[in-house]
Amino acid sequence: MSIVVLGTVALDSVKTPFGKRKELLGGSAAHFSMAARLFVKVNLIAIVGSDFPKRHIGFLRKKGINLSSLTIDKGKPFRWEGEYKGDLNSALTLNTELGVLSVFKPQVSEEQRKIENLFLANVDPEIQEHLLKKMHSTKLVGLDSMNYWINTKRKGLIKLLRQIDIYVANDQEARDLSGQANLIKAAKRLCSFGPKMVLIKKGEHGVLFYSQSGLIFSLPAFPVEKVIDPTGAGDTFAGGFMGYLAKCKRINPLAIKKALAYGTVAASFNVEDFGLLRTSRLNSRDLERRMLKFKDCFLF
Amino acid sequence: MSIVVLGTVALDSVKTPFGKRKELLGGSAAHFSMAARLFVKVNLIAIVGSDFPKRHIGFLRKKGINLSSLTIDKGKPFRWEGEYKGDLNSALTLNTELGVLSVFKPQVSEEQRKIENLFLANVDPEIQEHLLKKMHSTKLVGLDSMNYWINTKRKGLIKLLRQIDIYVANDQEARDLSGQANLIKAAKRLCSFGPKMVLIKKGEHGVLFYSQSGLIFSLPAFPVEKVIDPTGAGDTFAGGFMGYLAKCKRINPLAIKKALAYGTVAASFNVEDFGLLRTSRLNSRDLERRMLKFKDCFLF
């Protein structure tokens, strides 16, 4: 089975109470891929500048990611600089350089257009829609966004929600887009915009799932004592979640709960080190081992 | 089986986005009792002023609560006035009148001193210790406190923690008393103060449990769409949790997880109406029915 992920491949500079790192390989599509690759073949669609470090591209390729639709463009790479303080629950963005991202028109091969699983990670909703239209026969489409697009391209984003299956948001985004403070009400309202399922990521507080058919699932986070850097945890979650579902023959309530658990466990590895340092070394055995520990935290 | 709960019986006035209520029956011991009574015989120890409405006392008695150690004193009742806004996650205290609470020396009958299960709900740590010393043969002692005592009687509270089994705190209290932002580190540190187990209530985000023996459990909250008034949810949680454990022959990991779930489910009823309005009508069937729904939210 395969999945296509559209998103960013970026250079991240980050400061947390545990240290500082400069120009790490990051971006939504990169983080997503590190988790999804443990379940299915990942086809990454993104754009990078021509001076983007070759070693990062080689690194992704070595991890088994199909990069045939990675656009390399003249221009500067997408750079993000952020800082986490206190309980590390929210990032303070210090600087964003869109670079090549501002001219991004996603490319996709004829082969990839036939892939049934698609995740539209956080980029401009217009770019997300552009790719969605090119796909031939999607069966499961997930979408992430962020406050910036909710504020500046709300209409386009809501139009896009009609065409997808699963909307993935963090708690603040869910509240902002829905106008509801209570997260269940927020999820309900977001479902009314179109997506069959809504998944609200609450960071260290776990995840809430809601479906048009009325299913409500709620899972805690995996308890991590040493959160080093949460950058990309949400994308890693989405990678584990979508990766597992892409592998399932039938998407039923049990499959969804398991997918939520795999996403949770994958994200718990992500926060234990800077950037992709931990998730890029992750294998299925690590994941299954922690899955057992995770189950032990709440199953009875 | 029986449990003794020490705490407050109060007149609560509350304002939430869903309305306003004046001088409702409230207080930590009253909320605790409404949940614990579904599992064991509850012996309530508190003080009320002589002008405390008789109907409230009659109401508690009708609910099966043993009030033989409820002190009725000259003087004004304990009054609390608070407001909740936005996502209703934290109360803004508008006014507190300690009234009789400032002269409270808990009474306890010879019969009650033999009871093995004790919950010291939120009052002055000196009052909590006073009662604890009077008890003959406790096997399971839980304790709750609040920021006011953490700030003003920190030393006394920490001394008390050495003598109890389970410390119950909300996330902010746990962070304040431990000096740790990460909740697992906070729980670990709190355990090092003495209690075998620490339970951190996170409101709509569920609960985290940690034991000296290294157990970590994490449960989500029951998803409630219409939170009317969260006053007393933490005490109701403690009532369900301690009530279930008091009934158990052996306290093992499974019993603890089930107790956490019962506490969670009991608290979910509490927030659905003002004061004790919902939990006072609650019966075991309601609780079991919602327990099944709750399990369905996360068990797989």
Side-chain angles (χ1 to χ4, degrees), chain A residues 157-291:
Chain A
L157 180 59
I158 287 181
K159 189 182 147 213
L160 194 51
L161 287 181
R162 270 181 242 144
Q163 307 164 59
I164 60 143
D165 302 292
I166 308 179
Y167 175 48
V168 175
N170 70 30
D171 41 2
Q172 199 46 57
E173 291 156 7
R175 287 186 170 116
D176 284 356
L177 190 57
S178 68
Q180 296 284 343
N182 178 289
L183 288 181
I184 302 164
K185 282 187 191 167
K188 217 178 217 181
R189 168 69 63 90
L190 292 171
C191 259
S192 78
F193 292 160
K196 289 190 223 33
M197 301 171 252
V198 167
L199 199 161
I200 302 179
K201 300 169 292 179
K202 303 187 292 175
E204 64 160 335
H205 299 306
V207 61
L208 182 74
F209 172 92
Y210 186 88
S211 77
Q212 277 183 359
S213 58
L215 295 175
I216 301 182
F217 301 143
S218 183
L219 256 69
F222 181 80
V224 175
E225 197 174 330
K226 203 163 181 184
V227 177
I228 300 285
D229 173 18
T231 309
D235 300 307
T236 310
F237 179 95
F241 176 78
M242 290 290 298
Y244 180 77
L245 283 187
K247 209 180 154 181
C248 285
K249 283 197 187 100
R250 282 192 54 200
I251 296 183
N252 55 25
L254 179 64
I256 292 169
K257 281 195 247 189
K258 280 191 179 178
L260 293 170
Y262 275 114
T264 299
V265 169
S268 76
F269 283 105
N270 180 84
V271 303
E272 289 182 337
D273 210 338
F274 285 96
L276 303 173
L277 291 180
R278 182 66 190 94
T279 51
S280 63
R281 290 185 291 113
L282 200 61
N283 61 40
S284 300
R285 250 181 59 196
D286 301 330
L287 201 70
E288 294 300 338
R289 217 180 279 149
R290 186 166 289 185
M291 184 66 147

Side-chain angles (χ1 to χ4, degrees), chain B residues 14 34 49 58 60 161 185-186 188 193 220 247 249 271 280 284:
Chain B
V14 65
M34 285 307 115
L60 288 172
L161 286 181
K185 283 186 190 168
K188 217 177 215 179
F193 293 160
K247 207 178 153 183
K249 283 199 188 100
V271 304
S280 62
S284 299

